[in-house]
């Protein structure tokens, strides 16, 4: 805080209106490189869902520049932005057990570059390992606490989410049946009625229906139009159902994969935690930095990718597919309306013909 800002803050405290100076601080914040990078890091953190990133995002959401109404709040927000920038760096929410390098932009490639803490002071793991002023037992304690944290984070983020997805699959069976019933009720009733009327007309042995099929008259033309629209309607319904199935196929396959590999995920988690801990303890014993690439120990990355995919809204998966589905839905509804009109027209012709004692 510079002397001018101190004067303005003091003036505000004594009731002087300095609201016109708030915008200056807000513009300074928005033009600051830390703020610009913070915005980028926030978007990255939203994709990289781990406990740390969720806590960071919560703090970020609480800092809303648009709601600032006092000079004091503007100065506090500026300090908060600088703090959030510092803790928004990817290294703080990388969990090597489930790290996916495609999800974030970071210069960190080895496990030894990740941060740890000793007596509230931040070190990289390699700095901790080679630091002669830190006792061996203290280093071991820090590493065990760190690997246990990674293990718990991975368990909460991946293993528990797998269980949630699989339980949700069981609970949603009735919901899916209800959805399918609601989706198809009107359409399938008309398909059944339409096919029944078509079959009666085609296969009836009565001379009346024989004349409808073979003669040339209004009723015959109505039947011909009705038959074409019936099959177009059935084709539109089948096409729409296939498109719906295509959209859900990937998610259903992912759920099947999680179900059949759930035990493997648990085993991978335990192996990862043990192997990483032993790798770092070996570095402490040998007093050598650990340069193992994170991608060689990210045992749960594939499971995590699947979980993130399953949590996406259908619209987020493929906007093109969503647009195509809307087209198919429109065609299906249009064909339903057209079919109903042809059904009523053909039915009306049959009624009039029967009342006249012949085919009109």
């Amino acid at each position: 805080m510079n002397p001018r800002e101190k004067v303005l803050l003091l003036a505000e405290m004594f009731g002087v209106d300095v609201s016109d100076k708030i915008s200056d601080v807000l513009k300074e914040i928005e033009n600051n490189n830390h703020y610009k990078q913070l915005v980028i890091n926030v978007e990255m953190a939203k994709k990289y869902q781990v406990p740390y990133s969720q806590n960071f995002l919560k703090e970020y959401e609480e800092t809303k520049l648009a709601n600032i109404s006092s000079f004091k709040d503007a100065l506090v927000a500026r300090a908060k932005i600088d703090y959030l920038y510092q803790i928004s760096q990817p290294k703080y929410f990388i969990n090597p057990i489930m790290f996916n390098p495609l999800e974030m932009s970071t210069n960190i490639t080895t496990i030894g570059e990740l941060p740890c803490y000793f007596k509230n002071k931040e070190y990289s793991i390699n700095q901790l390992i080679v630091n002669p002023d830190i006792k061996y037992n203290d280093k071991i304690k820090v590493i065990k606490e760190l690997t246990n944290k990674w293990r718990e984070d991975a368990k909460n983020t991946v293993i528990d989410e797998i269980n949630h997805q699989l339980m949700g699959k069981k609970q949603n069976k009735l919901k899916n049946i209800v959805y399918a019933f609601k989706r198809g009720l009107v359409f399938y009733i008309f398909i059944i009625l339409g096919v029944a009327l078509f079959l009666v007309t085609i296969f009836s042995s009565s001379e009346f229906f024989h004349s409808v099929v073979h003669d040339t008259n209004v009723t015959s033309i109505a039947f011909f139009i009705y038959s074409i629209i019936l099959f177009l309607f059935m084709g539109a319904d089948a096409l729409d159902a296939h498109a719906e199935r295509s959209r859900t196929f990937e998610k259903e396959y992912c759920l099947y994969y999680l179900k059949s590999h759930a035990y493997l995920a648990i085993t991978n988690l335990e192996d990862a935690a043990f192997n990483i801990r032993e790798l770092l303890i070996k570095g402490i014993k040998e007093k050598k930095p650990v340069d193992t690439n994170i991608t060689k120990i990210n045992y749960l990355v594939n499971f995590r990718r699947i979980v993130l995919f399953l949590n996406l809204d259908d619209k987020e998966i493929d906007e093109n597919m969503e647009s195509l589905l809307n087209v198919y839905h429109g065609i299906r509804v249009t064909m339903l309306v057209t079919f109903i009109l042809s059904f009523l027209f053909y039915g009306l012709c049959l009624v009039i013909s029967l009342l006249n004692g012949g085919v009109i």
Side-chain angles (χ1 to χ4, degrees):
M1 188 187 307
N2 58 46
R4 178 175 176 273
E5 291 172 343
K6 290 181 180 178
V7 172
L8 290 171
L9 181 59
L10 185 62
E12 185 179 65
M13 291 174 63
F14 282 96
V16 179
D17 183 12
V18 295
S19 57
D20 58 326
K21 304 300 179 183
I22 296 175
S23 60
D24 294 338
V25 180
L26 296 181
K27 286 180 181 178
E28 179 189 345
I29 292 174
E30 292 172 350
N31 293 329
N32 190 288
N33 289 331
H34 283 187
Y35 178 74
K36 293 177 181 178
Q37 185 60 48
L38 173 62
V39 173
I40 295 173
N41 290 350
V42 165
E43 293 305 311
M44 196 182 303
K46 288 178 180 178
K47 297 178 182 178
Y48 198 79
Q49 298 174 15
V50 294
Y52 179 91
S53 67
Q54 298 304 306
N55 293 333
F56 156 70
L57 288 172
K58 184 179 179 181
E59 287 194 63
Y60 175 78
E61 291 298 328
E62 291 172 354
T63 308
K64 296 181 179 179
L65 299 183
N67 296 338
I68 291 176
S69 58
S70 71
F71 190 75
K72 176 185 176 182
D73 290 342
L75 295 179
V76 171
R78 186 177 64 185
K80 185 72 176 292
I81 291 297
D82 285 335
Y83 162 71
L84 289 173
Y85 163 73
Q86 295 296 329
I87 68 170
S88 71
Q89 298 177 51
K91 67 177 181 179
Y92 292 115
F93 49 85
I94 288 178
N95 185 325
I97 297 177
M98 54 184 181
F99 173 67
N100 179 10
L102 299 177
E103 285 185 70
M104 67 171 66
S105 175
T106 175
N107 294 325
I108 292 179
T109 57
T110 67
I111 189 172
E113 298 173 76
L114 295 177
C116 60
Y117 296 89
F118 177 67
K119 293 184 176 179
N120 295 323
K121 184 176 180 181
E122 182 181 320
Y123 299 86
S124 72
I125 291 175
N126 283 341
Q127 288 173 338
L128 178 83
I129 288 174
V130 300
N131 192 323
D133 298 327
I134 302 177
K135 296 179 181 179
Y136 173 83
N137 288 338
D138 289 333
K139 293 179 181 179
I140 296 295
K141 182 179 178 181
V142 170
I143 293 303
K144 286 185 176 180
E145 289 177 352
L146 183 61
T147 52
N148 284 337
K149 175 183 177 298
W150 286 338
R151 179 187 178 280
E152 287 304 308
D153 284 355
K155 178 180 180 295
N156 294 334
T157 307
V158 179
I159 304 299
D160 287 353
E161 184 62 26
I162 289 175
N163 292 332
H164 173 74
Q165 290 288 347
L166 296 181
M167 290 300 295
K169 176 69 174 176
K170 294 178 180 179
Q171 294 171 357
N172 285 334
K173 282 184 177 179
L174 179 59
K175 181 180 177 181
N176 292 337
I177 292 172
V178 172
Y179 170 76
F181 181 75
K182 288 171 64 177
R183 176 188 179 275
L185 180 61
V186 173
F187 291 88
Y188 294 145
I189 286 176
F190 276 103
I191 286 176
I192 292 170
L193 290 175
V195 171
L197 183 57
F198 175 80
L199 293 177
V200 167
T201 305
I202 290 293
F203 295 106
S204 176
S205 60
S206 80
E207 294 183 6
F208 176 82
F209 284 111
H210 183 272
S211 61
V212 170
V213 176
H214 296 287
D215 293 348
T216 303
N217 46 58
V218 175
T219 308
S220 300
I221 295 172
F223 172 69
F224 179 73
I225 295 173
Y226 164 78
S227 301
I228 293 175
I229 293 177
L230 170 63
F231 286 104
L232 288 176
F233 172 48
M234 292 170 63
D237 184 74
L239 187 65
D240 182 76
H242 176 73
E244 285 278 4
R245 175 66 179 171
S246 298
R247 181 174 64 172
T248 59
F249 174 77
E250 287 183 325
K251 283 196 171 184
E252 289 178 356
Y253 177 79
C254 287
L255 282 169
Y256 170 77
Y257 181 88
L258 288 182
K259 183 177 180 180
S260 58
H261 292 77
Y263 176 76
L264 178 62
I266 297 172
T267 303
N268 284 354
L269 172 62
E270 298 299 334
D271 288 346
F274 176 80
N275 291 339
I276 293 173
R277 183 168 59 248
E278 292 302 304
L279 180 68
L280 298 180
I281 290 176
K282 180 181 178 183
I284 293 173
K285 290 179 179 178
E286 298 178 354
K287 299 179 181 180
K288 293 181 180 179
V290 179
D291 296 323
T292 303
N293 196 296
I294 299 177
T295 57
K296 292 185 178 180
I297 52 177
N298 55 346
Y299 291 76
L300 288 180
V301 63
N302 288 331
F303 290 98
R304 187 169 177 280
R305 286 172 183 161
I306 292 174
V307 166
L308 290 176
F309 174 76
L310 289 172
N311 284 330
L312 286 176
D313 291 335
D314 290 334
K315 291 183 179 180
E316 292 182 84
I317 296 173
D318 191 340
E319 292 184 359
N320 292 330
M321 173 59 78
E322 191 67 25
S323 299
L324 190 61
L325 279 172
N326 289 334
V327 172
Y328 287 151
H329 293 336
I331 293 174
R332 186 177 185 237
V333 172
T334 302
M335 289 309 305
L336 172 63
V337 174
T338 307
F339 170 74
I340 292 174
L341 293 175
S342 68
F343 181 85
L344 293 175
F345 178 60
Y346 177 51
L348 180 62
C349 289
L350 287 179
V351 171
I352 295 174
S353 296
L354 287 171
L355 291 175
N356 288 338
V359 176
I360 59 170

